[in-house]
């Protein structure tokens, strides 16, 4: 269970990106974060694994305080939480396999991983995960030789190497075309349903959010303006979240 | 399919008006300010002309001096045949008291005759020879036991019968050297036998190889040291803590200061420190490589994509793993490319620092220039041109492949 308690984030330049945000995520949930650009979705997700340090508030994962963890504890927590990024964040010049294997870094010993001495088990696991996302034949290609959709699947395979109990995804399909977006989202669904991994995913297409979320949290100017059932977002709520001028093209 | 709804911001952007009145540009006027500026500029240029002692007429007036150098430079010493010599030595006493007539000296089938046997510095003298090798170039030298080198160098050529005559005078220097017995050497030399590489070519070859390896050594050494330094001087790698900021600032400053010291000065220092030779050159170029490539490296490190670093961090990797898996693969191509570029630069530099004791081709070149052996110097100059051109070309190709 993830507990976000009164979290605020003020950036160095004074921008208040999150303002007193609280919510909890039960195990096995598929939570989707929505909100306008700049509403604080990325900031929220990055606070959870402390790629960004929150200014105020606490975040607990399975009772363990992430916000006050020392570097060692933090790495311990991080390896249970996978993360997938909008721009994939692969090491472009490295092979697909090496990118996927780097997902094990939280578990391996530094010297052997630096020397490239991966265990047979890890290698097997990497191939398995690549097979799961359908690109095991690309294992030895350089990451930048793959298409966007394939690169994102490498990103997912990498996060799956952590055998995470929680998966964070920051707009994982925003740089993919709509047809691909759906197929990539299905991997998260599969992970959620078959392995029981909790998912917190930010999306900006409400249609996708409705299709995959078990719950939606909407942020507006750093505050939670909606937290509940995906199906209960009606016209009025939509305007609250996205502003008066916005129209939901995708569903009309 | 899903289409992104318009956000209010986007709506607002569309209605922004862009009909601001444009300011008229002022008419250019020849104001007093401009005139004063122009006058000051002229004064400055005049001063510079004087300070630099620009005397273009010298180029034309002294053209005789340039011709032999330029012809020699265009005819580098490359191949020679073996050299054979014929030599006759006449011993004379100078200064002396009374003349007793001409001197005849015979040797190796030839005969040399001097117009007088009593010689005083400044006296004119006719030297003639017979029975020598016909149609051959030769030289006359005065050699005094108290002097290291040869005193006078008079050239001649024997005719078809093996005779020659040279009018010369007795070098004033003999008096200063204490007089006594002086050798007058007549040496004929001619080429014979097979063509082979000239001594200058052989020496140039060894020296240019030394230069290339000296530069390689300096580049490797300098780059290896510059790698960790470049991390310390990269903003995105150094943590933003007081200590991190201090280390970053100090490293940057140290690099900037070192970079402003010319390699020529470094080479002079190291030549005194570890004595003349390629090692002094290696040290000088290593230091300048660290300073210059360290900056380039740190800029390359600063321009890497943070995404992969974030990703490694999020898997629970520690900082060393972040650097190894996230930073290193991204910086290898630019770092290698800069290293090859610097090898190229260091080959050029090493030719210059050789003049102040840095070894390699520069040392050979400076030696030949001091001895006014322009043909040999030309060989070195051409070798430098060829190697620099080749390095430039190869480094461009390799760097293109890397990126
Ligand atoms: N490093 C930073 N320094 C200062 N301000 C920042 C920084 N990162 C984000 N912000 C600001 O914080 C606010 C929230 O940004 P955030 O990236 O979390 O929004 P988002 O909901 O992810 O938007 P998007 O949909 O565009 O990705 C924005 O106003 C943004 O300009
Ligand atoms: Mg974002």
């Amino acid at each position: 269970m993830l507990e976000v308690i009164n979290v605020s984030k003020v950036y160095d330049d004074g921008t208040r990106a999150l303002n007193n945000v609280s919510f909890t995520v039960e195990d096995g949930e598929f939570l989707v974060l929505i909100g306008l650009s700049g509403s604080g979705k990325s900031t929220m997700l990055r606070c959870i694994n402390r790629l960004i340090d929150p200014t105020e508030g606490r975040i607990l994962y399975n009772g363990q305080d992430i916000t006050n963890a020392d570097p060692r504890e933090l790495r311990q927590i991080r390896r249970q939480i996978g993360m997938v990024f909008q721009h994939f964040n692969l090491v472009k010049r490295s092979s697909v396999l090496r990118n996927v294997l780097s997902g094990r870094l939280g578990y391996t010993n530094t010297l052997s991983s630096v020397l490239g001495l991966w265990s047979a088990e890890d290698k097997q696991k990497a191939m398995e995960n690549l097979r799961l996302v359908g690109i095991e034949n690309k294992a030895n290609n350089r990451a930048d030789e793959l298409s966007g959709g394939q690169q994102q699947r490498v990103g997912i395979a990498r996060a799956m190497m952590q055998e995470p109990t929680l998966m964070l995804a920051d707009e994982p399909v925003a740089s993919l075309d709509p047809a691909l977006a759906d197929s990539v989202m299905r991997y998260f669904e599969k992970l959620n349903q078959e392995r029981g991994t909790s998912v917190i995913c930010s999306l900006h297409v409400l249609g996708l959010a409705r299709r995959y979320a078990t719950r939606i949290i909407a942020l507006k100017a750093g505050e939670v303006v909606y937290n509940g059932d995906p199906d209960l977002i009606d016209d009025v709520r939509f305007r609250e979240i996205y502003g008066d001028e916005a129209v939901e093209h995708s569903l009309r | 399919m899903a289409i992104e709804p318009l956000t209010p911001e986007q709506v607002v952007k569309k209605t922004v008006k862009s009909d601001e009145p444009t300011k008229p540009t002022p008419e250019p006027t020849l104001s007093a300010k401009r005139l004063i500026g122009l006058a000051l500029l002229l004064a400055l240029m005049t001063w510079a002309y004087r300070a630099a002692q620009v005397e273009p007429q010298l180029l034309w007036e002294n053209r005789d001096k340039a011709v032999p150098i330029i012809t020699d430079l265009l005819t580098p010493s490359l191949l020679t045949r073996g050299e054979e010599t014929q030599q006759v030595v006449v011993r004379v006493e100078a200064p002396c008291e009374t003349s007793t007539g001409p001197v005849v000296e015979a040797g190796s089938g030839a005969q040399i005759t001097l117009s007088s046997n009593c010689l005083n510095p400044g006296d004119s003298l006719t030297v003639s020879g017979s029975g020598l090798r016909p149609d051959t170039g030769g030289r006359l030298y005065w050699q005094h036991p108290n002097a290291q080198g040869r005193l006078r160098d008079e050239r001649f050529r024997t005719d078809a019968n093996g005779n020659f005559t040279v009018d010369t005078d007795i070098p004033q220097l003999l008096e200063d050297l204490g007089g006594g017995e002086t050798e007058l050497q007549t040496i004929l030399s001619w080429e014979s036998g097979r063509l082979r590489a000239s001594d200058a070519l052989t020496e140039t070859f060894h020296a240019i190889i030394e230069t290339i390896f000296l530069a390689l050594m300096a580049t490797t050494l300098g780059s290896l040291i510059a790698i960790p330094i470049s991390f310390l001087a990269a903003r995105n790698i150094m943590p933003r803590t007081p200590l991190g900021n201090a280390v970053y600032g100090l490293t940057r400053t140290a690099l900037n200061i070192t970079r402003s010291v010319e390699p020529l000065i470094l080479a002079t220092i190291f030549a005194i420190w570890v004595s003349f030779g390629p090692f002094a050159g290696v040290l000088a170029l290593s230091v300048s490589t660290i300073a210059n490539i360290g900056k380039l490296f740190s800029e390359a490190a600063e321009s890497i994509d943070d995404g992969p670093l974030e990703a490694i961090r999020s898997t629970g990797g520690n900082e060393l793993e972040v650097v190894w898996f996230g930073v290193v693969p991204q910086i290898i191509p630019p770092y290698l490319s800069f290293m090859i570029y610097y090898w190229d630069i260091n080959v050029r530099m090493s030719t210059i620092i050789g003049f102040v004791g840095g070894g390699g081709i520069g040392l050979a070149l400076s030696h030949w220039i001091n001895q006014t052996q322009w043909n040999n110097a030309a060989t070195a100059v051409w070798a430098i041109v060829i190697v620099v051109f080749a390095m430039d070309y190869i480094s461009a190709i390799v760097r293109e492949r890397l990126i």
Side-chain angles (χ1 to χ4, degrees):
Chain A
M1 186 173 75
L2 181 80
E3 294 162 87
V4 176
I5 306 161
N6 302 330
V7 167
S8 297
K9 171 67 189 177
V10 182
Y11 282 108
D12 289 342
D13 64 355
T15 313
R16 181 168 279 271
L18 293 177
N19 192 16
N20 202 20
V21 173
S22 299
F23 60 88
T24 56
V25 185
E26 301 293 336
D27 292 345
E29 273 197 276
F30 196 124
L31 177 73
V32 171
L33 286 179
I34 59 170
L36 279 174
S37 179
S39 58
K41 305 182 293 293
S42 300
T43 307
M44 187 64 246
L45 286 166
R46 280 172 164 68
C47 280
I48 293 174
N49 62 0
R50 257 186 63 199
L51 289 176
I52 297 175
D53 282 315
T55 318
E56 282 164 41
R58 296 203 304 155
I59 299 175
L60 308 182
Y61 188 57
N62 294 334
Q64 206 175 354
D65 192 341
I66 299 177
T67 27
N68 289 316
D70 63 31
R72 228 188 128 77
E73 288 168 345
L74 180 62
R75 290 201 297 273
Q76 185 91 18
I77 299 168
R78 274 179 179 166
R79 69 184 196 188
Q80 307 168 48
I81 304 177
M83 188 158 192
V84 173
F85 302 84
Q86 176 179 354
H87 299 293
F88 326 134
N89 291 1
L90 302 182
V91 181
K92 294 194 178 68
R93 307 188 119 261
S94 297
S95 73
V96 166
L97 186 63
R98 193 170 190 260
N99 269 291
V100 174
L101 281 167
S102 71
R104 285 308 284 174
L105 287 174
Y107 295 91
T108 55
N109 126 325
T110 306
L111 188 66
S112 54
S113 58
V114 163
L115 293 176
L117 305 172
W118 304 98
S119 69
E121 201 190 332
D122 284 348
K123 282 188 205 160
Q124 202 185 324
K125 199 170 287 171
M127 289 310 293
E128 236 165 67
N129 282 326
L130 279 174
R131 197 168 308 126
L132 217 72
V133 294
I135 44 171
E136 74 269 33
N137 58 336
K138 301 280 187 191
N140 295 315
N141 286 54
R142 252 173 61 161
D144 57 3
E145 291 168 354
L146 271 56
S147 72
Q150 291 171 330
Q151 289 191 33
Q152 191 57 298
R153 287 188 270 167
V154 176
I156 294 171
R158 174 175 62 191
M160 276 159 66
M161 288 300 282
Q162 296 172 234
E163 298 181 329
T165 47
L166 171 62
M167 181 73 102
L168 306 177
D170 188 8
E171 307 207 11
V173 295
S175 26
L176 305 178
D177 62 48
L180 269 176
D182 208 55
S183 76
V184 166
M185 284 309 293
R186 255 180 243 134
Y187 291 113
F188 291 106
E189 188 176 44
K190 208 159 137 188
L191 197 63
N192 178 250
Q193 290 176 356
E194 290 175 11
R195 299 196 184 179
T197 310
S198 317
V199 177
I200 305 178
C201 175
S202 71
L203 290 173
H204 61 219
V205 179
L206 192 56
L208 282 178
R210 282 213 176 92
R211 197 169 317 149
Y212 292 100
T214 57
R215 185 153 60 100
I216 286 183
I217 287 184
L219 291 175
K220 187 176 186 182
E223 295 186 21
V224 177
V225 292
Y226 181 81
N227 182 351
D229 197 316
D231 297 328
L232 297 181
I233 298 185
D234 54 18
D235 259 7
V236 180
R237 290 244 161 78
F238 183 85
R239 289 220 173 81
E240 261 172 41
I241 298 167
Y242 286 106
D244 287 339
E245 282 101 314
V247 185
E248 192 181 354
H249 292 280
S250 52
L251 293 183
R252 302 287 138 111
Chain B
M1 278 280 36
I3 296 168
E4 218 182 314
L6 272 186
T7 66
E9 286 151 3
Q10 283 170 316
V11 176
V12 171
K13 262 180 212 153
K14 277 179 189 163
T15 57
V16 168
K17 289 175 190 159
S18 62
D19 53 355
E20 281 177 39
T22 47
K23 280 184 206 160
T25 45
E27 286 283 310
T29 50
L30 203 64
S31 64
K33 258 189 191 168
R34 278 174 194 233
L35 275 176
I36 292 170
L38 205 64
L40 279 177
L41 196 66
L42 263 175
L44 189 71
M45 289 318 290
T46 319
W47 191 13
Y49 190 88
R50 293 244 182 95
Q53 303 183 1
V54 178
E55 292 179 77
Q57 74 280 5
L58 288 182
L59 284 174
W60 180 246
E61 282 170 11
N62 294 348
R63 61 191 180 279
D64 303 348
K65 292 183 186 172
V67 173
I69 294 180
I70 292 172
T71 22
D72 276 1
L73 282 178
L74 290 175
T75 52
S77 151
L78 297 175
L79 300 172
T80 57
R81 293 179 194 283
E83 196 183 55
E84 280 186 45
T85 57
Q86 185 180 17
Q87 185 170 352
V88 184
V89 178
V90 186
R91 280 170 220 285
V92 292
E93 207 174 303
C96 91
E97 301 294 310
T98 45
S99 166
T100 55
V103 183
V104 178
E105 183 74 37
S108 53
Q111 186 171 310
I112 302 293
T113 309
L114 305 190
S115 57
S116 167
N117 76 332
C118 183
L119 306 163
N120 283 305
D123 287 354
S124 63
L125 171 74
T126 308
V127 182
S128 52
S130 62
L132 293 152
R133 189 174 188 272
D135 276 325
T136 308
R139 293 178 183 210
L140 279 180
Y141 296 110
W142 294 90
Q143 179 121 41
H144 190 275
N146 292 348
Q148 293 217 322
R150 290 156 168 177
L151 295 184
R152 171 74 64 80
D153 176 356
E154 206 85 57
R155 297 186 190 212
F156 62 84
R157 198 168 177 86
T158 56
D159 62 17
N161 300 319
N163 302 327
F164 78 92
T165 307
V166 174
D167 289 317
T168 177
D169 56 301
I170 316 301
Q172 290 286 354
L173 218 60
L174 287 181
E175 185 139 45
D176 304 334
L177 286 167
E181 203 162 74
T182 304
E183 283 185 359
L184 177 62
Q185 303 174 343
T186 309
I187 302 174
L188 270 68
S189 63
W190 62 94
E191 292 178 339
S192 73
R194 282 210 187 155
L195 268 184
R196 61 178 175 83
S198 70
D199 290 347
L201 184 63
T202 321
E203 200 178 329
T204 297
F205 182 75
H206 288 298
I208 199 93
I209 297 281
E210 186 174 289
T211 290
I212 293 172
F213 283 134
L214 179 164
L216 178 64
M217 197 66 227
T219 312
T220 314
L221 207 67
S223 306
L224 286 182
I225 299 173
I227 289 170
I229 292 180
S230 72
F231 290 167
L232 300 183
R235 187 67 280 190
N236 57 338
I237 294 178
M238 286 313 280
R240 287 182 188 271
T241 57
L243 179 68
N245 290 339
V247 171
Y248 166 83
L250 280 177
T251 315
R252 284 252 138 168
T253 317
L255 285 181
N256 286 340
I257 292 173
T258 317
R259 214 169 30 200
S260 61
V261 182
E262 284 294 320
L264 209 60
I265 297 167
L266 292 171
T268 314
I269 296 170
F270 282 118
I272 294 166
W273 190 343
V274 301
S275 86
F276 275 41
F279 184 51
V282 168
L283 290 174
L285 288 180
S286 298
V287 172
S288 93
T289 302
I290 293 171
N292 287 290
I293 220 170
K295 177 149 192 277
L296 293 175
F297 277 4
S298 69
E299 277 163 7
E302 278 176 355
S303 68
I304 62 170
D305 175 11
D306 296 335
L309 280 59
E310 236 185 2
I312 306 291
R313 224 169 258 139
S314 78
T315 66
N318 59 30
E319 284 307 301
L320 186 67
E321 289 164 337
V322 170
V323 169
W324 185 255
F325 285 89
V327 179
V328 170
Q330 293 194 67
I331 59 175
I332 282 179
Y335 275 35
L336 272 181
S337 148
F338 283 134
M339 281 169 70
I340 291 163
Y341 178 55
Y342 254 82
W343 187 11
D344 178 11
I345 289 184
N346 279 340
V347 167
R348 278 165 217 240
M349 290 301 297
S350 74
T351 64
I352 297 172
I353 62 164
F355 277 73
V356 295
I361 191 81
L363 195 61
L365 180 58
S366 74
H367 178 75
W368 284 323
I369 289 178
N370 289 338
Q371 303 262 313
T372 64
Q373 297 175 355
W374 297 110
N375 294 107
N376 295 353
T379 314
V381 169
W382 283 104
I384 293 169
V385 169
I386 292 167
V387 168
V388 166
F389 180 82
M391 288 291 298
D392 200 35
Y393 183 72
I394 294 169
S395 93
I397 289 181
V398 175
R399 283 189 291 142
E400 210 166 278
R401 291 251 172 103
L402 276 173
I403 294 168

